[in-house]
Amino acid sequence: MDWYVWLIVAIVAALVVFLAVIIGRALAFRPKKEETYPDFPVHCDEKKAISDLAEMVRCKTVSDTDESKEDEKEFEKFEKLLAKLFPNVYRVCEFQKLSKRSLLFRWKGKDSSVSRVLMAHYDVVSVEQSLWQKSAFEGIEENGVLWGRGTLDTKGTLNGVMQAAEQLIKEGFVPQNDVYLAFSGNEETNGYGAPTIVKYFKEKGIRPALVCDEGGAVVDKVFPGVSAPCALIGIAEKGLCNIRFSVEGKGGHASAPPPHTAVGKLSKACAAVENHPFPARLSKPAEELFDMLGRRSTFLYRMIFANLGLFRGALDAICKKSGGELNALMRTTVAFTQMSGSKGMNVLPPYAEMVANLRIMCGESVEDCVKYLKKIVADDEIRTEVVYGMNPSNVSETQGEAWNMMKKAVSQTWKEALVAPYLMLACSDSRHYSEISDHVYRFSAMALSKEERASIHGNDERILLEKIVRTVEFYLRLLYQF
């Protein structure tokens, strides 16, 4: 037999073995046995939960980077409202106002050697009322829906925490360990509310065994090939960096322009960065997400996730092309959000700048990002300045008591949902708690549609009344374990 025949046979045999290995791994990549939890019925005062949240919405606690623009009376109104709505919490819990925007309750347990924290923020972002169907601050209840800024982000969460605590205290329940209810009033502006509380915990030597803040939710159709709803619990969050690119020009009349104006040079830099995304990186949260949900995906996707070492390039290509949440799970993202040049339409800009918002991947830093961008831009005339930056948070554990508590409460509340860890793409106050705890979890206790998620920081923010009740039920189940 000629040598080339042997070569063809060897190649075919190698391909058969290769395909057999890939298919075999995909067939073996099946869901792991999950712990099942018994039913744990809970009940709450549904009318109170709904009406209390409506009252909270009526407090226009809009935060601003310039505090002088905030309406202090609205924040004071909100604090007085809490005392009125939750008298048992104020009666039993030790309350401290650590700063103007830092509210902390300590619910003393039978054993104070262990403590856990439930978080939320009560400030909200501003609204453009003309773009809303209903008033953003009237707490309008209509057709099974409560309308208003903060219903989802995150007065709805705060309401759930306080309703559950109020009810359990009224029933005579005493937690096994200390529970802290920690609320900040300037999360939306990256303010000092939460850092002040964390500083207090540090001074007291308190290292929480569990911290629960806003983050993931119960969502549909967010993972390829998975039809079941997924309850995503953030175990880390990406870093944030705003970078200003600037360049000086000679100015002058636009009738005799140079080959490249200041705006043109920035545009070239912008295109270069967008055409050269940051390299893909498989972080621990993403790896665990792919392992958990990839096993429940269709066979084609199972082939990819079971053989990521071979198909990482294909997955990377899919992410680059599609953009969105899947792409953001795989790399540091860059979004150019602002650009300015000349004030006159017929005047060459003597100075131009643009700003990019980066969400930094776990394992990378602000410094790493600046170096990469300078390399891609490759233009010494363009200055690069970090306006604001913070590195990614630490990654929390997905084994042990704290994670199991979260998973149990979620599974008992949304029985049909697949619980999985994930990387939170946005930023929250919880990142500060990574300094004092390895068990920081980010979960907004709601089932949210794509449309509802889009209303957060957008127009027509609203929540179904049944979801308000479900949020309270989640916190009841979680607190019963404390």
Side-chain angles (χ1 to χ4, degrees):
M1 189 180 294
D2 294 327
W3 67 268
Y4 59 85
V5 177
W6 283 109
L7 179 61
I8 293 172
V9 171
I11 292 174
V12 171
L15 285 173
V16 170
V17 171
F18 177 72
L19 290 173
V21 170
I22 290 176
I23 294 172
R25 293 183 69 177
L27 290 171
F29 195 59
R30 305 296 297 175
K32 297 177 182 178
K33 186 177 180 180
E34 293 286 331
E35 183 176 356
T36 56
Y37 302 100
D39 288 344
F40 190 78
V42 293
H43 304 282
C44 69
D45 187 334
E46 298 183 6
K47 289 185 178 179
K48 174 177 169 58
I50 294 167
S51 64
D52 287 0
L53 179 55
E55 285 202 60
M56 292 183 192
V57 169
R58 294 179 190 122
C59 299
K60 299 180 182 179
T61 50
V62 179
S63 57
D64 196 289
T65 52
D66 181 355
E67 277 197 3
S68 66
K69 296 180 180 178
E70 296 177 350
D71 189 337
E72 194 60 36
K73 291 182 179 179
E74 292 294 326
F75 283 87
E76 292 173 359
K77 175 182 171 184
F78 182 83
E79 291 178 34
K80 291 177 181 178
L81 179 64
L82 289 183
K84 170 192 166 187
L85 298 178
F86 307 107
N88 288 311
V89 172
Y90 276 81
R91 175 177 59 83
V92 170
C93 299
E94 174 189 333
F95 172 67
Q96 297 183 78
K97 187 174 180 179
L98 299 177
S99 79
K100 190 165 67 169
R101 296 290 184 264
S102 308
L103 310 181
L104 182 65
F105 299 84
R106 180 196 179 195
W107 186 3
K108 196 173 185 308
K110 299 173 184 177
D111 178 4
S112 295
S113 63
V114 176
S115 60
R116 299 180 179 89
V117 179
L118 300 180
M119 296 175 57
H121 65 87
Y122 54 93
D123 64 315
V124 298
V125 296
S126 60
V127 304
E128 182 59 55
Q129 185 57 64
S130 63
L131 300 177
W132 282 56
Q133 298 180 56
K134 309 287 183 183
S135 174
F137 293 107
E138 288 186 17
I140 296 173
E141 180 187 332
E142 187 176 283
N143 298 323
V145 175
L146 178 63
W147 293 72
R149 177 64 88 216
T151 50
L152 303 178
D153 184 21
T154 64
K155 287 179 179 177
T157 302
L158 190 151
N159 181 58
V161 171
M162 292 295 277
Q163 295 290 338
E166 177 75 7
Q167 176 177 321
L168 291 179
I169 291 172
K170 185 177 180 180
E171 293 173 356
F173 174 80
V174 179
Q176 184 62 36
N177 303 115
D178 285 3
V179 179
Y180 286 91
L181 314 179
F183 308 131
S184 69
N186 49 20
E187 187 271 352
E188 298 291 4
T189 58
N190 297 317
Y192 54 82
T196 299
I197 297 174
V198 171
K199 181 183 177 183
Y200 170 82
F201 284 144
K202 283 182 177 179
E203 292 171 350
K204 297 294 182 179
I206 297 171
R207 291 189 60 83
L210 182 152
V211 178
C212 180
D213 191 20
E214 64 171 318
V218 180
V219 292
D220 289 316
K221 300 177 182 177
V222 294
F223 194 86
V226 175
S227 57
C230 300
L232 303 180
I233 302 176
I235 60 173
E237 60 186 53
K238 299 178 80 171
L240 168 66
C241 184
N242 291 320
I243 296 181
R244 178 184 292 116
F245 299 83
S246 61
V247 62
E248 293 183 357
K250 293 183 178 180
H253 200 282
S255 61
H260 301 288
T261 67
V263 170
K265 291 174 182 178
L266 288 180
S267 299
K268 181 181 177 182
C270 175
V273 172
E274 290 190 346
N275 291 331
H276 296 85
F278 275 77
R281 177 189 290 266
L282 192 60
S283 65
K284 180 178 182 290
E287 187 175 10
E288 293 193 20
L289 173 70
F290 292 162
D291 182 74
M292 169 66 185
L293 298 183
R295 293 174 183 273
R296 289 162 173 77
S297 190
T298 57
F299 185 73
L300 176 61
Y301 285 110
R302 290 216 316 274
M303 285 182 63
I304 294 175
F305 291 115
N307 300 276
L308 270 181
L310 292 171
F311 294 114
R312 184 173 296 188
L315 180 62
D316 184 26
I318 293 171
C319 291
K320 285 181 181 178
K321 185 175 181 179
S322 63
E325 293 179 348
L326 184 60
N327 181 59
L329 281 174
M330 294 291 290
R331 73 184 78 249
T332 292
T333 57
V334 183
F336 287 95
T337 56
Q338 295 178 320
M339 179 179 276
S340 63
S342 173
K343 294 182 180 179
M345 294 183 184
N346 62 345
V347 178
L348 296 173
Y351 171 86
E353 68 174 40
M354 65 181 180
V355 176
N357 179 268
L358 280 68
R359 300 302 169 119
I360 306 172
M361 195 65 174
C362 295
E364 297 175 359
S365 67
V366 173
E367 183 180 359
D368 295 333
C369 292
V370 172
K371 287 181 180 178
Y372 180 82
L373 292 174
K374 285 184 176 180
K375 177 184 175 183
I376 296 301
V377 171
D379 188 339
D380 292 336
E381 292 186 43
I382 297 179
R383 292 187 299 274
T384 306
E385 172 193 357
V386 176
V387 180
Y388 175 82
M390 60 182 181
N391 290 323
S393 73
N394 297 333
V395 180
S396 293
E397 298 176 3
T398 52
Q399 301 291 331
E401 183 182 48
W403 172 259
N404 291 336
M405 284 181 171
M406 290 290 298
K407 188 175 180 181
K408 182 177 181 179
V410 172
S411 297
Q412 290 176 328
T413 307
W414 294 274
K415 297 177 183 178
E416 70 285 1
L418 303 173
V419 181
Y422 93 116
L423 176 63
M424 186 170 165
L425 308 180
C427 297
S428 70
D429 273 342
S430 63
R431 67 184 181 276
H432 302 293
Y433 284 78
S434 294
E435 302 173 28
I436 57 173
S437 179
D438 296 324
H439 306 95
V440 181
Y441 303 111
R442 301 154 177 90
F443 179 70
S444 298
M446 303 172 188
L448 298 178
S449 67
K450 186 175 182 180
E451 181 184 7
E452 288 169 328
R453 298 198 301 276
S455 74
I456 297 173
H457 286 210
N459 304 319
D460 294 333
E461 185 178 349
R462 60 198 184 276
I463 185 172
L464 291 171
L465 302 185
E466 62 190 48
K467 294 184 180 182
I468 298 173
V469 176
R470 189 74 70 92
T471 299
V472 179
E473 292 174 349
F474 165 78
Y475 282 109
L476 283 169
R477 293 185 173 100
L478 187 59
L479 280 168
Y480 270 122
Q481 299 179 70
F482 290 0

